[in-house]
Amino acid sequence: ALGEAKMFLKIVCVVFMTFTLCKGQGVDMTLTADTYGAEVVDAVVDKLHANCLFNNDRLFLRRLAYVESTDGSDPKTYRQGYDGGIWQVDQDMFTATKTCSAAIKRECDVILKEFGIDWTKVTWDQLRMPLYSGIGATLYLIQRLASNHVIPGDIPGQADIWAHYYHLNEPVGTYIIEADKATQYNCNGELDLAFLMDSSGSIMTSDYKLQLDFVAGVVNALPVASDKVQIANVVFGTLAKVAFHFNKYSVKQDIIDDIEQTPKDNGGTNTPTALDITRTEVFNSANGARATARQVAVLLTDGESYDFNLTVQAAAKLRSEGVTVFTIGVGFINLQELLAVASDPVCTHVYVLDDYAHIDSILYEIQKKTCEAPKVLTPNQPIVGTVDKNSTTITIGTVRPDNNTVLAIRTNCSIANIYVSYTNPRPNAAIYTETYTAADGKPALLTLEGTEQGKPVFVTVVGTRLPNDTSGLVNCADFTYSMNFEAKPSVEIKCREHSTYRDCHPQDFIGTKFENLLCNTTLPSVPNPCTTLHLGKGDLVFAHPILNNYFIKCDLLGNMYVTLCPNNQIFDKNTLSCGFSNQVINGGGIALPAQYTNPCTQDTIQKGLYFFAFADNRHQFIQCDVWGGAWLKDCYTNDIWNDLAHTCVPDTLHEFDSTTVAPPSVVVVNPCTPAALATGIYFYPHPCDHQKYIHCDIAGNYFIQNCPAHQYYNPAAYVCMPADTQPDLPACH
């Protein structure tokens, strides 16, 4: 029998306005072998950048994952006998990082401290876990490029780095074609973006022009509109003033024209007042600021304000109002002040714009990060929005106000999957600490107990509209969501059995007036996809249109079965499987001609062997699907199939190429001996041409590589550098 109603939030699967133990356990797919997908890659990159590892890579690491393995979805990513993972870190590349040399000692120390990973004890097979593969690629690139090499931000420049240092001898066109697909960002949501431009006398005229060009470039790349991105501009010298508010312009070119005509002040550097009026005047609804928009401020300055302490205090007030602050250093900078003003983590919110050549290097990154900056939720300012037809995703950053407050997430005519993290600024289906679900009439209440009071928490909400034919929602038109802090319910539910009080169980509420408070286990109704058309085509598995951790299976009678994925996994629409497993390999392409023996037997597939040589053409290979079908696939241009590696590799002759003229007196000796490889050194100087070098593989083969244009191989640093440090050999002339 139900006894006195003293309510308590931690009820076993009871929703009380509603929430707890309907929550799922944490997931981190970056530490799960053989997982893949854009969300997994983004989570790895976020982890590394949040700990200031390779954070100045200009999106290179993110693009590299897509170019190398299509974010791991390429079936060859986790092939048998190869453990390089999503970033395709070859064994010799991995081995070169194992000693944590001086070039990567700082990074190895951070990896040990923040992730608990002793890189000197890691084995190659562990790189099947995405985080380890990402770390391996990061360490290899830092070690190969050396501290004096800046990663270019433009894709052609990165393609040159990739072809010379990472995927040797691959045409740069491969990177150029694929890289841009990895870094598409969505800036269709509401964003209020304010620029604060330093026009003081300490900024040189050339650097001031650099500022104007940079800001105009950012604006030009954004979708400016009253319902999308709004721009405001603050200019400061001895005084600070608002050049224009959010509600002045709605045409992009008008904004650019105004920015490019901004006069220089040449006075003092009144950064505190600029930050204050940005908070009180610019981000003010009376001047066009929107309560529903993400709020971002970008401060461009040399960091030499007239009062450091006042500047830091003004920045803290601005951030406390929910504004994400980026700082960009221009000219002769004071890095300490730039770091003190920016939002956390500072290594992803502080940039240095030191010359025109680097505009492109950070332009895209600022565009992307301002568009993806989390909306900051404050206790007195709820967030309300509309769930789009194709679903809506919003990430917020907030803090836990106190122990008596909950974060309430409500939806109307829709369902929301909620991912919470106390460390990752962009939780998603691949990485989260806690997960919840909110549905129409069943809000989720989050106590945020995983963090200390006043510490940050990040919440991503993915809202999906419910179909109009869902029970009780006929003609539903108001597809909305809201997030707000509310007082924590102070009552507790206990059940009394005879004279003993105990925690309640769901069955205790069946048949009582409290039955409607139970966690809703009834799945929303959806149309049956098991149509005659689909059955005739052999389509028997479908993604659930609303719940991302369920899928639909059909029998041959047209009945559908809604099935839950195991272990909190998410159903993958591409592979039609739960989780980010690579085991479902789809066919497609050219079927293997009948005159050839099909290697795709039950025995080989059960052993995980999906790829085989095609004897008649080394530029092709055979790929199996899980049903025993055999398909001919093409290698990339200039690649050939390597049966030992179970993949296509560059078609490079293991001899000096025809462009190198070596006199008869020069004896060419392969430096890739077992003794040399045992030292972990895989790079050697060319005996005559200083703009080339020799790269060994783990089998003892050698490859001739070209340095980038106008660079020379430096044997001491094992990298190409602008200066030629090698002596000329008389025998080479």
Side-chain angles (χ1 to χ4, degrees):
L2 285 171
E4 293 90 23
K6 294 191 303 178
M7 296 209 158
F8 179 51
L9 277 177
K10 293 196 174 178
I11 304 163
V12 177
C13 225
V14 172
V15 180
F16 180 65
M17 283 301 296
T18 162
F19 106 106
T20 303
L21 295 185
C22 293
K23 74 177 180 182
Q25 299 301 310
V27 164
D28 187 351
M29 291 184 177
T30 70
L31 295 174
T32 303
D34 297 4
T35 56
Y36 69 91
E39 291 179 319
V40 173
V41 173
D42 287 340
V44 171
V45 175
D46 285 344
K47 275 188 172 185
L48 297 177
H49 286 181
N51 288 288
C52 301
L53 291 167
F54 211 25
N55 54 288
N56 61 344
D57 71 327
R58 313 302 189 213
L59 302 176
F60 186 43
L61 192 64
R62 179 64 190 85
R63 289 167 173 157
L64 188 62
Y66 194 90
V67 172
E68 289 292 323
S69 69
T70 320
D71 291 345
S73 64
D74 187 324
K76 298 195 298 293
T77 304
Y78 296 110
R79 58 192 179 272
Q80 187 182 50
Y82 185 83
D83 297 326
I86 288 176
W87 277 268
Q88 297 289 279
V89 182
D90 294 342
Q91 189 169 8
D92 59 328
M93 296 162 64
F94 165 71
T95 303
T97 68
K98 281 277 292 175
T99 59
C100 285
S101 65
I104 55 175
K105 180 65 167 59
R106 185 197 74 84
E107 286 75 14
C108 286
D109 290 344
V110 173
I111 291 164
L112 178 61
K113 177 182 177 182
E114 300 299 334
F115 302 131
I117 299 173
D118 184 345
W119 195 251
T120 62
K121 297 180 180 178
V122 172
T123 55
W124 189 43
D125 62 299
Q126 289 180 278
L127 270 63
R128 298 181 79 94
M129 291 183 283
L131 178 61
Y132 283 71
S133 182
I135 291 174
T138 295
L139 294 178
Y140 178 77
L141 285 166
I142 293 173
Q143 182 166 278
R144 289 289 292 121
L145 296 174
S147 60
N148 66 335
H149 201 111
V150 176
I151 297 287
D154 64 293
I155 288 178
Q158 291 185 359
D160 191 55
I161 297 293
W162 174 73
H164 283 97
Y165 291 105
Y166 200 88
H167 203 129
L168 307 177
N169 288 329
E170 193 69 31
V172 294
T174 301
Y175 186 95
I176 292 172
I177 292 171
E178 299 296 324
D180 192 49
K181 300 175 184 177
T183 49
Q184 301 295 328
Y185 60 89
N186 177 12
C187 214
N188 291 326
E190 293 182 339
L191 167 66
D192 286 346
L193 174 60
F195 291 98
L196 292 74
M197 297 197 302
D198 185 346
S199 69
S200 66
S202 60
I203 299 290
M204 296 178 63
T205 301
S206 59
D207 289 328
Y208 187 67
K209 179 64 166 61
L210 183 65
Q211 278 192 80
L212 301 183
D213 290 345
F214 176 79
V215 174
V218 174
V219 173
N220 188 52
L222 298 176
V224 173
S226 59
D227 61 342
K228 293 182 180 179
V229 179
Q230 295 187 151
I231 305 293
N233 191 25
V234 174
V235 182
F236 62 98
T238 302
L239 303 176
K241 64 178 182 179
V242 179
F244 57 86
H245 287 288
F246 290 124
N247 55 3
K248 182 171 183 178
Y249 296 119
S250 59
V251 177
K252 182 185 299 185
Q253 191 58 49
D254 292 341
I255 299 173
I256 294 174
D257 290 344
D258 193 310
I259 290 170
E260 290 182 336
Q261 296 170 17
T262 305
K264 194 172 185 294
D265 180 273
N266 288 323
T269 309
N270 195 347
T271 312
T273 301
L275 292 165
D276 282 336
I277 65 173
T278 300
R279 173 175 56 86
T280 59
E281 297 182 29
V282 175
F283 288 105
N284 186 316
S285 59
N287 295 317
R290 298 163 294 184
T292 56
R294 298 186 304 280
Q295 298 178 331
V296 175
V298 178
L299 171 66
L300 296 98
T301 179
D302 57 7
E304 292 288 353
S305 68
Y306 79 87
D307 191 307
F308 175 85
N309 291 329
L310 288 179
T311 298
V312 172
Q313 293 169 15
K317 291 179 181 178
L318 179 60
R319 296 194 304 267
S320 71
E321 294 291 326
V323 179
T324 300
V325 180
F326 291 86
T327 59
I328 299 180
V330 182
F332 300 99
I333 64 169
N334 180 342
L335 184 60
Q336 181 185 8
E337 186 168 302
L338 296 176
L339 295 171
V341 169
S343 296
D344 287 326
V346 293
C347 58
T348 60
H349 289 83
V350 177
Y351 299 90
V352 177
L353 187 64
D354 48 10
D355 60 49
Y356 283 96
H358 293 164
I359 286 184
D360 287 341
S361 298
I362 65 175
L363 182 62
Y364 185 96
E365 204 158 354
I366 285 291
Q367 293 163 4
K368 181 176 185 292
K369 288 186 175 178
T370 53
C371 285
E372 294 184 347
K375 170 67 179 171
V376 179
L377 178 65
T378 56
N380 299 319
Q381 192 171 12
I383 295 174
V384 180
T386 300
V387 178
D388 295 333
K389 289 183 179 180
N390 296 325
S391 83
T392 291
T393 299
I394 181 171
T395 299
I396 66 165
T398 187
V399 297
R400 179 185 178 190
D402 54 57
N403 294 331
N404 299 316
T405 303
V406 295
L407 173 59
I409 300 175
R410 291 180 164 79
T411 65
N412 191 62
C413 300
S414 55
I415 191 168
N417 294 305
I418 303 163
Y419 307 103
V420 179
S421 175
Y422 302 107
T423 56
N424 190 302
R426 290 196 298 164
N428 55 45
I431 181 169
Y432 55 84
T433 307
E434 299 169 1
T435 180
Y436 301 82
T437 300
D440 189 281
K442 300 283 185 179
L445 301 186
L446 286 61
T447 58
L448 308 180
E449 293 176 343
T451 187
E452 298 176 11
Q453 182 177 334
K455 296 295 185 180
V457 61
F458 304 96
V459 181
T460 296
V461 178
V462 182
T464 305
R465 291 187 177 188
L466 291 170
N468 283 334
D469 57 359
T470 300
S471 177
L473 295 178
V474 178
N475 298 321
C476 193
D478 186 18
F479 300 95
T480 59
Y481 65 88
S482 66
M483 289 178 273
N484 194 20
F485 284 109
E486 298 179 359
K488 181 178 181 179
S490 59
V491 289
E492 178 182 286
I493 293 179
K494 285 287 186 178
C495 290
R496 188 179 66 191
E497 192 169 354
H498 303 298
S499 59
T500 303
Y501 288 93
R502 60 169 174 79
D503 291 335
C504 296
H505 304 295
Q507 58 266 30
D508 294 322
F509 296 88
I510 304 299
T512 74
K513 64 181 181 180
F514 298 101
E515 183 175 352
N516 69 321
L517 296 179
L518 290 173
C519 291
N520 185 6
T521 57
T522 302
L523 299 176
S525 60
V526 296
N528 185 352
C530 307
T531 62
T532 302
L533 177 63
H534 282 146
L535 295 180
K537 294 166 58 179
D539 297 334
L540 302 177
V541 180
F542 300 88
H544 195 286
I546 299 174
L547 306 174
N548 62 2
N549 57 338
Y550 282 80
F551 63 97
I552 296 173
K553 294 180 65 176
C554 302
D555 64 22
L556 297 181
L557 297 176
N559 299 308
M560 73 171 183
Y561 301 84
V562 180
T563 307
L564 175 67
C565 287
N567 302 322
N568 295 312
Q569 291 180 340
I570 304 300
F571 186 77
D572 190 309
K573 296 178 182 179
N574 296 318
T575 63
L576 297 180
S577 63
C578 289
F580 294 86
S581 169
N582 71 313
Q583 294 304 307
V584 177
I585 296 181
N586 297 317
I590 302 173
L592 183 69
Q595 66 265 33
Y596 297 94
T597 301
N598 183 351
C600 307
T601 64
Q602 180 179 353
D603 180 61
T604 57
I605 291 174
Q606 288 180 347
K607 290 179 179 178
L609 301 176
Y610 290 94
F611 307 98
F612 298 90
F614 181 54
D616 285 1
N617 189 340
R618 295 187 67 194
H619 294 281
Q620 292 182 309
F621 61 96
I622 300 171
Q623 176 180 315
C624 303
D625 61 32
V626 291
W627 301 280
W631 305 86
L632 275 183
K633 299 284 188 177
D634 293 323
C635 293
Y636 286 129
T637 304
N638 298 327
D639 281 9
I640 59 173
W641 179 258
N642 184 304
D643 217 26
L644 181 64
H646 295 288
T647 189
C648 297
V649 299
D651 185 8
T652 305
L653 295 176
H654 296 168
E655 60 187 14
F656 288 104
D657 60 40
S658 59
T659 64
T660 301
V661 179
S665 58
V666 176
V667 178
V668 177
V669 178
N670 183 353
C672 310
T673 63
L677 297 179
T679 66
I681 298 175
Y682 290 84
F683 303 95
Y684 296 89
H686 189 283
C688 287
D689 192 334
H690 296 178
Q691 290 187 301
K692 297 183 179 182
Y693 62 95
I694 300 173
H695 174 214
C696 303
D697 65 19
I698 58 175
N701 301 307
Y702 66 83
F703 301 81
I704 304 304
Q705 304 297 330
N706 293 293
C707 288
H710 311 299
Q711 292 195 24
Y712 304 86
Y713 185 72
N714 185 322
Y718 302 107
V719 295
C720 296
M721 303 179 75
D724 186 1
T725 61
Q726 297 186 59
D728 283 335
L729 296 178
C732 293
H733 298 285

